[in-house]
Amino acid sequence: MIVSDQAINPDFSEYEYFKEPQLTRRKATYSELALKSVEPIESTNVAWAEFVQVTEALERIYTHSSRGSDRPYGLCIHGPNLTGKWTAVEYFYRTHVSRELFAAKQFDIVMVRAIRSGRAEPLLSALLRHYGYPIKVIGPGSIEARINVVLAAIEQKKTKVICIRNADNLLVPAGMTRGFASSATDVLTQLMDERKIGIVLTGSDKLLALKDVDPVFASRIQTYERLGNFRALQSWLAFVKAFFDKSNRFDFGFFWEEGQPENLHTVCSGNPGLFKMFIVECALCAADRGSREITLEDVKKAFRALFGSSTPMVNPYENAR
């Protein structure tokens, strides 16, 4: 995974979003020195084969839209939380919207978050805010006018791709859309058809039901990519090794002792984001006692801090010696 750039609202960062509830607890638990010492680990990230495949798919949709194709192109990135879906979008964003060209290209790629509604109004509000229009509330009677404003902004700003996080929030069963002036997917279909832009959806595996909810919009999403947890131990070991090699300010040798790579996979369920949270917690425990070497006691303490003492999760460290 690749950490969010300062030019991007940190609310967009998948890892940061799920880490947020832990921050207050960490500040109350660990010393300021310990918190400072783990910052390099927080900013350590590695890519893996599936992640690279997703970034390549994002490049294809950008190239397709940049060439002015007559056919709109859609991409869906789905999978569990903390598997790098939105992080891949952030990397894609920074690739094309560099700081040097920020003023000229900041709207090439637009990124918004969907809320649990399915209605057109919240999506239009988010897009208008992104383009700098101070419109907070949109009533049903003003939807068509606001769509026209968004269409004009896309053309003026030369937007090529709109990326939507938590896109499964847009999926409202047809029977529940009665009374909607327009659904969010109706709006996206119109934007794609009239401006030939690319649309990227990221969210849970619920997005696979898109064809049942809105078959017209689903017909415009040609490519589906999944980022999931590591299942194969070999690929998990390669990912862990790459991460530890880059996080060399701490000694993570404990995790290479016999049986420990498997225990780490069990604890984190092979999830790359959860792995990172757990490793940072282990490093905090070590740093708080003035060490850079991770021990069994640090790991035990980190597990309890992150998951709780009564968690139903399997704790392979509790009775270890």
Side-chain angles (χ1 to χ4, degrees):
M1 294 184 298
I2 297 142
V3 144
S4 173
D5 186 74
Q6 291 301 314
I8 303 172
N9 187 327
D11 285 344
F12 281 129
S13 172
E14 185 176 14
Y15 175 74
E16 293 293 327
Y17 178 76
F18 283 91
K19 189 188 75 173
E20 188 66 29
Q22 303 293 334
L23 293 181
T24 301
R25 176 188 58 78
R26 285 183 183 177
K27 289 178 181 179
T29 304
Y30 302 109
S31 68
E32 186 175 341
L33 184 62
L35 292 168
K36 189 75 175 174
S37 70
V38 302
E39 288 180 359
I41 305 177
E42 294 275 22
S43 60
T44 296
N45 294 276
V46 297
W48 59 98
E50 291 78 7
F51 183 91
V52 172
Q53 187 171 313
V54 168
T55 62
E56 290 173 348
L58 286 163
E59 286 297 326
R60 287 194 296 273
I61 194 172
Y62 183 85
T63 300
H64 182 89
S65 299
S66 298
R67 289 174 177 171
S69 173
D70 289 336
R71 185 182 179 188
Y73 189 107
L75 168 65
C76 173
I77 309 169
H78 62 99
N81 290 329
L82 290 170
T83 51
K85 302 179 298 295
W86 194 253
T87 308
V89 172
E90 292 177 319
Y91 172 70
F92 164 64
Y93 176 92
R94 291 198 309 278
T95 300
H96 294 282
V97 187
S98 66
R99 291 182 178 179
E100 291 75 19
L101 297 174
F102 190 74
K105 299 185 69 176
Q106 63 173 314
F107 295 107
D108 263 24
I109 301 164
V110 170
M111 303 192 297
V112 296
R113 176 185 284 132
I115 65 170
R116 193 175 299 279
S117 165
R119 296 165 58 237
E121 294 94 318
L123 176 64
L124 287 168
S125 294
L127 288 169
L128 289 168
R129 285 195 301 272
H130 190 95
Y131 283 115
Y133 293 90
I135 301 172
K136 296 183 178 180
V137 180
I138 296 177
S142 62
I143 287 179
E144 186 175 351
R146 300 313 185 201
I147 290 175
N148 289 333
V149 174
V150 172
L151 287 167
I154 290 172
E155 185 173 29
Q156 289 174 352
K157 304 297 185 180
K158 297 180 171 37
T159 297
K160 298 174 178 63
V161 181
I162 294 177
C163 303
I164 303 173
R165 181 181 176 180
N166 302 135
D168 38 318
N169 285 338
L170 302 178
L171 306 186
V172 178
M176 296 178 62
T177 59
R178 295 192 185 101
F180 286 17
S182 184
S183 71
T185 52
D186 288 339
V187 170
L188 292 174
T189 299
Q190 185 174 350
L191 299 183
M192 293 181 81
D193 290 351
E194 294 194 25
R195 289 294 176 261
K196 313 303 179 188
I197 59 169
I199 294 290
V200 176
L201 308 176
T202 74
S204 73
D205 290 325
K206 292 178 182 178
L207 285 171
L208 293 175
L210 179 60
K211 64 182 183 299
D212 300 320
V213 176
D214 189 336
V216 175
F217 178 56
S219 69
R220 288 152 177 76
I221 309 298
Q222 293 93 341
T223 304
Y224 286 77
E225 296 285 353
R226 189 176 193 273
L227 282 174
N229 297 337
F230 286 91
R231 299 300 180 192
L233 185 59
Q234 202 60 37
S235 58
W236 169 253
L237 292 175
F239 168 76
V240 170
K241 183 179 186 304
F243 189 93
F244 286 158
D245 285 348
K246 294 181 73 173
S247 304
N248 53 19
R249 296 191 182 187
F250 279 78
D251 181 354
F252 294 105
F254 168 82
F255 291 110
W256 294 118
E257 295 177 6
E258 185 178 357
Q260 293 307 331
E262 293 82 356
N263 286 341
L264 191 55
H265 185 274
T266 298
V267 168
C268 302
S269 301
N271 183 285
L274 190 56
F275 159 80
K276 185 175 181 181
M277 284 187 184
F278 184 57
I279 292 306
V280 168
E281 199 75 35
C282 291
L284 279 167
C285 293
D288 210 40
R289 60 180 178 80
S291 176
R292 294 297 177 99
E293 181 182 0
I294 310 300
T295 67
L296 175 59
E297 291 307 312
D298 296 322
V299 175
K300 287 181 176 180
K301 184 177 179 182
F303 186 98
R304 289 191 296 269
L306 193 58
F307 304 116
S309 57
S310 62
T311 177
M313 292 176 60
V314 175
N315 183 354
Y317 308 114
E318 192 57 40
N319 297 318
R321 296 180 179 275

